[in-house]
Amino acid sequence: MKLALRHIEAFLAVAEHGNFSTASRHLHVAQPALSQAVKDLEAELGVRLFDRTTRRVELTAAGLEFQGSTSKILEDLEHAVENVRDLATRRRGRIRVAAPPLLSSVILPQAIAAFHRDYPGVAIELIDIGTEEIVASVVTGKADCGLGTFSPSEEGIERTLLMRDNLMMFCSPEHPAHDLTTVAWSELRDQPLIALTRTSGIRLLMDIGIESAGISAKPAFEVSLITTALALVEADLGVSVLPSYALAAARHYAVIARPLVDPVISRDVVLIHASGRSISPAVATFSGVLRSYAQKLTPAQGVAENSSRKPRTTSS
Amino acid sequence: MKLALRHIEAFLAVAEHGNFSTASRHLHVAQPALSQAVKDLEAELGVRLFDRTTRRVELTAAGLEFQGSTSKILEDLEHAVENVRDLATRRRGRIRVAAPPLLSSVILPQAIAAFHRDYPGVAIELIDIGTEEIVASVVTGKADCGLGTFSPSEEGIERTLLMRDNLMMFCSPEHPAHDLTTVAWSELRDQPLIALTRTSGIRLLMDIGIESAGISAKPAFEVSLITTALALVEADLGVSVLPSYALAAARHYAVIARPLVDPVISRDVVLIHASGRSISPAVATFSGVLRSYAQKLTPAQGVAENSSRKPRTTSS
DNA sequence: GCGCTTTACGCTGCGCGTAAGTATC
DNA sequence: GATACTTACGCGCAGCGTAAAGCGC
């Protein structure tokens, strides 16, 4: 014979109701089933738990003691189950998302805000670190998921494409390029370049573009924050090379953007999580929210300027 | 689907061992049974508890949390079961036995000592109160069992005969009655009587004997303690009427005893417990110990004197 | 290819419900 | 005699074990 929760539940129900009949109705079982269960439990414990005639049912000393301990235990178990179910239903949880600075300030804030509206119990921790540290964070488990652009050779991660975009040139509306539809990399020759620091993934792509165009542009400025770069561009101190989704970050600046061609350098922004490790329900849902926000941003692809501040239309 | 202890146990075993195979051996079940149990549990909770490939099995965040709570809960349950089993095996428990002063000092000390040797974990509470309060104590549950002589009209109690004995006259070895085999109640006429107080059950029986003999003996002394009565008897200040088992209490006194006849007044010493209420395992065992000690005392029936102090034999 | 987990499948036995029995008030 | 617990009995299904099939190393 073996102890099971049904035994405890039967016992507690009878103890609480003071008789078998109402307890059986409360448990949605036939009354003889309860008699059997309590009998089995008593046999298992070797003690009589109830003093019962056909007229009265009341706990023995042993039963009283057993009720005290088991009722608390069963309550704790309920809470444990409830707590882990809360994880499943996203009523509770934690998401640690690692992302590079640009993405942290562009897509993530809105996505996090939207997710938080729907699942206020889930704590979101945003780890804004350099792209090169993101894969390591995810693989070692310091982060649950990560955003960015990663080399296909990276191992131990699963990828989900969020969006694909091309690099664009950002410049002041007064810049001579403002009437161009596209800008070739070679046209950056002799332009004062406002570049991101070398730890940036974008900087690496920019260097590739510049090299493939056969020019050797030397950055006039090197900044780490995209906002700094945009401010410098707005002041017409030079041009910058940024992904198209930087437009979202640029909407408070008087800047325009033009697609860079020859070559078109595209960049896949993906969501990654550790392969082999299961994604938590909260992360799975968050991933979906992120995708939808990324798609909202994707139509911006090809938009060449910041229309909110400079209501001037350019041919796409 | 319904949560059962086997699910929790399966989960915890796998979590502890880190793989299904060794866990299954440890639980003495086939390995697929574990897979099924864990799978069912995960379905019930709506969360994946393990990240498992065929090569590695490790807890998810949800699983880790669930392990923390359930392992403690299952441990508590083990303790609860163990504790109530201790009651069954008499490793633990409590016996509250109500007894009148004489019995408290004669049979009970030895029986309690013997019981305590075998079951040191059982606490024994000796409630020495007047006979008239004993039934009430047992019926109301203030005591688990009671000793004494009770009217057959008493309700709500179950009786177990411990011993039957007759009233005897106790006197000094120098008393004229020392060469009598028996003493008739009528011979108590004009004897200075050392009586117990009216709350004593023995006193009631004595009064019955005196009345049936047609004499009207007026007590010279009224004492509440049997030891006091024996001391007075030893000092030859009078004779006393006591049950034969009082000899056991009298073994330190220089007193002799003679059976009282015409009529022989017998007294059933019984163990009682509340009817309808189940007797605890400890009380059941204690009852047996008491019976055996009472039987050891019963041969004393008819022994007329204290042989240890006065090595003189009297015809039975 | 080996060792682990999972899936498939048949069977045993547990536990439920229905029905009859028993005891208490 | 009414009511509530217990015993008896048959059945369905949960859960186990055996066997076969994925799936990583």
Side-chain angles (χ1 to χ4, degrees), chain A residues 86-97 107-126 144-145 271 279-293 296:
Chain A
D86 283 350
L87 292 180
T89 55
R90 289 90 170 162
R91 272 204 299 268
R92 203 169 57 80
R94 186 182 62 157
I95 302 174
R96 294 162 305 170
V97 49
I107 307 178
L108 276 172
Q110 298 99 307
I112 288 175
F115 184 84
H116 189 260
R117 265 195 303 278
D118 293 343
Y119 309 102
V122 178
I124 301 183
E125 192 177 326
L126 176 52
D144 301 304
C145 59
L271 177 73
I279 51 177
S280 79
V283 170
T285 303
F286 183 65
S287 168
V289 173
L290 262 181
R291 267 199 300 278
S292 72
Y293 271 83
K296 281 185 198 169

Side-chain angles (χ1 to χ4, degrees), chain A residues 115-138:
Chain A
F115 184 84
H116 189 260
R117 265 195 303 278
D118 293 343
Y119 309 102
V122 178
I124 301 183
E125 192 177 326
L126 176 52
I127 307 169
D128 45 347
I129 51 179
T131 303
E132 70 284 358
E133 298 178 59
I134 289 176
V135 171
S137 296
V138 169

Side-chain angles (χ1 to χ4, degrees), chain B residues 19-21 31-32 35 39 52 54:
Chain B
N19 66 72
F20 283 68
S21 306
Q31 187 272 341
S35 289
K39 182 183 170 186
R52 44 194 190 275
T54 58

